[in-house]
Amino acid sequence: MNNDSAVVAAQPIEPQKKRKIRGIKRSAFALPYLALSIVFVIVPLFIMLYYAFTDGVTGSFTGENFVHFFSRPNIMAVMGKSFLVALLTTVFCLLLAYPLALALSSSALNKKFIIVMLFVLPMWINSLLRTYAVKIVLYMLDITNAWVAVTIGMVYDFFPFMLLPLYSVVSGMDKSLIEASQDLGASPLKTLVKVRIPLSLPGIISGVLMVFMPTVSTFAISDVLGDTSTYMFGNIINQWFANSGGWNIGSAYSFLLLILIAATVLLANKLTKGKTEIGGVL
């Protein structure tokens, strides 16, 4: 090999060639996802905004749909109950999923992925069927408190959404940092607080958002497992959309809930920004 060919061989591959797979740009693989997002996310969002800011009779621009929300009696109490149930569900899912993710990640089993899938398999069944199955089990256990039943149903339904991101982050954690903490004399509890939790913070935040956001807006679980006392914000929105003349008010309620959820996501991102280093949250 002459010097010229050696120089050519030593040169790095051009970035443009790296971004192609068999002659196809890597960005092209995102086009189907982009199309689905436009059809099923962007377009419905604009439709919701149209209904939220228009009158149901004349179709003219109005803000009365939002005035209806703030003038409705006990609406803040219902929203407060919805956020409380969502918070409890998220906390219970986190307390159950985090130790399980740690146990699975540190297990010597060769089939850990199969064990994880056993917790995910119920997601393949229709959520309404799973909710009715929980109702039968709670009836057999003689659990009659509506709020307890709703909370248990939500924890059961949304638990896999907490487990998967936690297991993904915990299983990929740098084990040398944990070993270094133990070699320096840190107790298992201190290693958990100072090393494991900060390193797994991205998975925790992802799981919290994946559980909290749908729990706030759900209505089927409280319909099946609850009673009139467990009437949540999602039930109010569903009630308006079930009424042929209430789509405009229901859209306004949905838009306000979307703003609250977006604010929660932004707050979570702000709290976790720059906190991925060990001890960054302490």
Side-chain angles (χ1 to χ4, degrees):
M1 180 182 293
N2 56 33
N3 293 335
D4 294 338
S5 59
V7 171
V8 172
Q11 289 180 347
I13 301 175
E14 296 180 5
Q16 187 175 2
K17 293 181 180 180
K18 286 184 177 181
R19 290 194 290 265
K20 288 187 177 182
I21 300 176
R22 296 178 180 266
I24 303 175
K25 289 185 177 181
R26 292 174 60 182
S27 58
F29 291 97
L31 292 178
Y33 175 78
L34 178 62
L36 290 175
S37 298
I38 293 174
V39 174
F40 294 106
V41 178
I42 306 299
V43 173
L45 181 61
F46 277 102
I47 294 175
M48 181 190 71
L49 290 175
Y50 169 77
Y51 277 102
F53 287 97
T54 55
D55 182 76
V57 179
T58 62
S60 58
F61 178 82
T62 181
E64 289 297 322
N65 299 321
F66 297 94
V67 174
H68 185 281
F69 171 83
F70 292 103
S71 62
R72 177 167 180 154
N74 300 324
I75 187 64
M76 292 302 174
V78 174
M79 183 172 287
K81 288 190 296 184
S82 301
F83 274 83
L84 178 60
V85 172
L87 180 62
L88 290 175
T89 301
T90 304
V91 170
F92 286 137
C93 286
L94 179 60
L95 292 177
L96 292 172
Y98 195 81
L100 178 60
L102 288 176
L104 291 174
S105 64
S106 59
S107 174
L109 297 174
N110 295 326
K111 305 297 183 181
K112 290 186 290 185
F113 181 75
I114 297 178
I115 299 177
V116 175
M117 288 301 299
L118 291 177
F119 292 94
V120 181
L121 281 177
M123 296 176 62
W124 296 3
I125 305 173
N126 183 275
S127 60
L128 193 59
L129 294 178
R130 287 188 279 120
T131 304
Y132 274 106
V134 172
K135 184 176 182 178
I136 295 174
V137 173
L138 295 178
Y139 176 79
M140 294 172 61
L141 296 175
D142 197 26
I143 298 177
T144 57
N145 186 285
W147 281 110
V148 174
V150 169
T151 304
I152 292 175
M154 288 189 176
V155 170
Y156 171 74
D157 247 27
F158 296 108
F159 177 77
F161 294 99
M162 181 68 75
L163 177 62
L164 282 178
L166 281 177
Y167 175 74
S168 177
V169 171
V170 171
S171 61
M173 194 179 296
D174 189 354
K175 301 299 188 297
S176 63
L177 296 174
I178 301 172
E179 294 173 358
S181 174
Q182 296 171 346
D183 292 340
L184 292 173
S187 64
L189 178 60
K190 194 169 185 179
T191 301
L192 174 67
V193 175
K194 293 284 188 179
V195 180
R196 290 185 183 271
I197 292 179
L199 287 176
S200 57
L201 188 59
I204 293 175
I205 297 300
S206 177
V208 166
L209 293 177
M210 290 177 66
V211 172
F212 183 81
M213 290 190 294
T215 307
V216 172
S217 58
T218 188
F219 64 90
I221 297 176
S222 56
D223 271 347
V224 175
L225 301 179
D227 53 24
T228 55
S229 65
T230 58
Y231 200 65
M232 299 174 64
F233 194 66
N235 297 101
I236 296 178
I237 296 176
N238 178 62
Q239 182 186 48
W240 283 112
F241 278 102
N243 184 358
S244 59
W247 282 32
N248 300 81
I249 296 178
S251 297
Y253 282 31
S254 301
F255 180 68
L256 291 173
L257 181 60
L258 180 64
I259 292 176
L260 291 174
I261 292 176
T264 304
V265 175
L266 292 175
L267 179 62
N269 289 336
K270 185 176 181 180
L271 291 176
T272 56
K273 187 177 181 180
K275 300 293 187 179
T276 55
E277 296 181 0
I278 299 177
V281 296
L282 303 177

